[in-house]
Amino acid sequence: MLSNAEIGIDLGTANILIYSKSKGILLNEPSVVAYNTETKNVVAVGKEAKEMVGKTPRNIIPVRPLRDGVIADYDMTAQMLKELLKKVSKKSGLSMRKPTVVICTPSGSTSVERRAIHNAVKSYGAKHVHLIEEPIAAAIGADLPVDEPIANVVVDIGGGTSEVAIISFGGVVSCKSIRTGGDVMDEEIIQYVRKAYNVLIGERTAEQIKMEIGYALIDHPEETMEVRGRDMVTGLPKTIELKSTEIQQALKESLDQLLETIRATLEECPPELSGDIVDHGVILTGGGSLLNGMQEWLSDEISVPVHMAPSPLESVAIGTGRSLKMIQKLQKASK
């Protein structure tokens, strides 16, 4: 067993990923906890808890303790981290006694939100906890030359937040963060189906629709999908057919906000770095970047090459794990 494991944690609104340098991605599970309201005991975490969403008896409630990239329910987040780290310890054979942990925070988070993340990990018994800004972690995980004096532009579209950052020389030059991500897109689909068809669908169904027939604002051959929900007039189950063009319209507002944020960040870029952006383009990471046609649409809109990170879903987690060396370097330099 390895003592004092060094691990990176991507504490995401939708998923939690845990990465170790020696073994790669150790865990990738939804950030969901199911607990019993009478005993306050945790019944399930991760995948098992997500399976329960919308299907539990009254006394068991599945919750997502992270909202918009920050901790909404401190106790539940701490409990969830404990359970998931135990799982990792069993599965991988890594000793999780007093690990050194690097964990990412959204760049727009306040000092109170950062302290909450720090304390939640510390309460598990971590020896050292380092916080790193999410866009920097995403850039490191996407194999960008972060510590060189050239512009690296990262667009990280997560579940709770989307962040656009220009990184050069190991730091953030310009960054904008909006609380619009995969969750808001799901919510828009729920609202659209409700208004257009008078049918109520759940979060999991909305996510399924987004992944299968959700498109960025590009021309594409129309696709359809059968969806089941509850008729709001009769209260009975109902099946409807949705078209990809309808979903595209439902997502328009979120996508326009994202584009606006990218443009605003690029406008703040120092002229010296603008040339690099034309040469190297923009890198997409995060689950939201996997929306059909996202790369093609952004490339048309901002007239700059747009590339996908090698593993968009895992970039931030890989970056947190790899960033330990950089953090140690920075600490040595400041002594």
Side-chain angles (χ1 to χ4, degrees):
M1 271 202 178
L2 295 177
S3 61
N4 292 353
E6 292 182 351
I7 57 171
I9 301 179
D10 172 9
L11 195 60
T13 312
N15 289 62
I16 286 189
L17 285 88
I18 298 178
Y19 173 89
S20 116
K21 238 191 205 147
S22 54
K23 303 211 172 188
I25 297 283
L26 301 171
L27 176 126
N28 178 356
E29 298 221 355
S31 321
V32 185
V33 186
Y35 74 100
N36 188 320
T37 50
E38 289 158 12
T39 60
K40 293 285 181 275
N41 289 342
V42 170
V43 181
V45 293
K47 281 180 193 151
E48 292 97 17
K50 190 171 184 181
E51 295 288 310
M52 296 179 177
V53 173
K55 300 178 181 178
T56 55
R58 276 183 196 160
N59 61 329
I60 292 173
I61 299 183
V63 290
R64 293 176 64 178
L66 295 134
R67 282 274 164 210
D68 302 331
V70 293
I71 292 176
D73 185 330
Y74 177 79
D75 295 329
M76 281 297 148
T77 305
Q79 292 253 51
M80 177 171 69
L81 274 170
K82 276 181 190 166
E83 293 299 325
L84 291 176
L85 285 165
K86 269 187 210 162
K87 221 184 223 186
V88 166
S89 186
K90 270 187 202 158
K91 203 169 85 176
S92 66
L94 284 178
S95 162
M96 288 294 163
R97 279 186 61 233
K98 298 195 172 173
T100 297
V101 177
V102 180
I103 193 159
C104 61
T105 60
S107 54
S109 56
T110 63
S111 56
V112 174
E113 288 164 344
R114 284 166 195 248
R115 201 172 305 124
I117 292 174
H118 186 282
N119 293 348
V121 180
K122 204 77 172 160
S123 73
Y124 173 72
K127 190 177 180 187
H128 301 292
V129 179
H130 303 288
L131 298 181
I132 179 173
E133 288 192 29
E134 209 165 294
I136 295 182
I140 295 171
D143 299 326
L144 294 179
V146 178
D147 40 8
E148 289 177 25
I150 57 171
N152 300 287
V153 184
V154 176
V155 177
D156 179 25
I157 311 165
T161 54
S162 295
E163 307 202 38
V164 185
I166 299 170
I167 297 161
S168 174
F169 223 47
V172 174
V173 176
S174 159
C175 178
K176 294 225 179 299
S177 173
I178 48 167
R179 297 201 165 182
T180 298
D183 290 353
V184 172
M185 291 181 190
D186 295 347
E187 189 52 45
E188 284 178 339
I189 292 171
I190 292 173
Q191 294 306 333
Y192 173 79
V193 173
R194 190 177 178 167
K195 276 183 196 153
Y197 294 93
N198 254 342
V199 169
L200 203 58
I201 58 169
E203 281 177 28
R204 285 186 61 192
T205 308
E207 190 179 18
Q208 204 66 43
I209 295 168
K210 178 182 71 183
M211 287 158 78
E212 286 191 30
I213 59 166
Y215 274 85
L217 308 176
I218 56 163
D219 293 330
H220 65 278
E222 191 174 81
E223 294 174 30
T224 58
M225 178 181 176
E226 278 201 348
V227 176
R228 293 181 181 86
R230 189 177 84 220
D231 190 314
M232 291 172 69
V233 180
T234 62
L236 299 173
K238 186 177 180 182
T239 304
I240 54 169
E241 191 172 80
L242 290 176
K243 300 188 186 81
S244 56
T245 43
E246 295 177 274
I247 302 306
Q248 201 175 30
Q249 281 311 303
L251 299 178
K252 188 176 187 311
E253 201 178 316
S254 290
L255 293 168
D256 284 343
Q257 266 182 317
L258 176 69
L259 181 61
E260 203 45 55
T261 310
I262 295 172
R263 283 191 174 138
T265 312
L266 294 178
E267 276 168 18
E268 285 180 11
C269 178
E272 292 292 337
L273 292 173
S274 289
D276 294 339
I277 298 173
V278 175
D279 294 342
H280 301 118
V282 170
I283 290 274
L284 291 179
T285 72
S289 63
L290 298 172
L291 185 73
N292 299 319
M294 182 66 93
Q295 193 175 348
E296 190 187 322
W297 171 64
L298 281 178
S299 177
D300 288 348
E301 291 289 346
I302 59 176
S303 315
V304 165
V306 175
H307 311 287
M308 195 65 94
S311 44
L313 284 167
E314 298 168 354
S315 294
V316 175
I318 294 169
T320 47
R322 287 189 191 159
S323 65
L324 254 175
K325 259 189 194 162
M326 260 181 73
I327 288 169
Q328 284 156 355
K329 250 190 225 167
L330 292 171
Q331 282 175 342
K332 273 180 193 163
S334 62
K335 276 177 188 170

